[in-house]
Amino acid sequence: MSWCPSHDTPLAGPEDAAKAFDRWSVLWQPWGKSQVSMYFGPLVPGLDGADEWDSKVLRVDADFEVGRAAVTWLPDGSYGVELGPTDGPITAGFGEPEEIPAERARVSVEKAREAIIEYVTTGDKPVCLRWEAS
């Protein structure tokens, strides 16, 4: 099974996942900010020979300028909680900026990175975060 962050190339494992996240942490989006939305998940061969997403996908929206991220487990829509609520939303995105509500941006970027590594290692919902239903 290959792992893929968003529309990037497949990953060999947890170390590659960490490197992909780190790479995006220092890149600037076209709107002039260091922010990104990434989807991590296993790719499975599709019927037409193209890879498709498996059902277990982890979404990470990170705003590196404010040090916050929203981590969402897409199978059930729950979001990770590490920190208390922030005063306002964060901005993330891939290609276009997207405002992420403050109540979902409850994870430090460091803990988001840890959750990505854990997820790619185990293939399961990361236990390094507390999860709340959306």
Side-chain angles (χ1 to χ4, degrees):
M1 175 180 341
S2 4
W3 295 87
C4 187
S6 300
H7 305 288
D8 215 339
T9 56
L11 305 169
E15 188 175 304
D16 278 358
K19 286 178 184 177
F21 187 71
D22 294 345
R23 183 175 65 244
W24 279 102
S25 74
V26 296
L27 295 177
W28 294 89
Q29 292 289 356
W31 56 89
K33 302 289 184 180
S34 179
Q35 304 156 335
V36 70
S37 293
M38 301 178 85
Y39 294 80
F40 288 86
L43 294 175
V44 295
L47 295 176
D48 61 0
D51 287 337
E52 298 177 356
W53 288 103
D54 187 88
S55 60
K56 290 182 171 183
V57 177
L58 184 73
R59 176 178 173 165
V60 178
D61 299 288
D63 186 331
F64 298 101
E65 293 186 10
V66 298
R68 290 263 182 158
V71 179
T72 308
W73 181 247
L74 294 185
D76 65 11
S78 60
Y79 60 94
V81 176
E82 170 203 13
L83 307 169
T86 184
D87 292 337
I90 64 170
T91 303
F94 190 83
E96 293 290 328
E98 180 182 347
E99 193 171 273
I100 309 298
E103 60 270 10
R104 296 183 74 86
R106 307 272 304 269
V107 178
S108 67
V109 294
E110 295 83 10
K111 186 62 90 171
R113 183 180 188 274
E114 182 182 332
I116 292 165
I117 292 168
E118 180 183 339
Y119 170 62
V120 174
T121 301
T122 67
D124 295 319
K125 188 177 191 178
V127 297
C128 66
L129 294 171
R130 184 170 54 85
W131 296 90
E132 290 190 7
S134 57

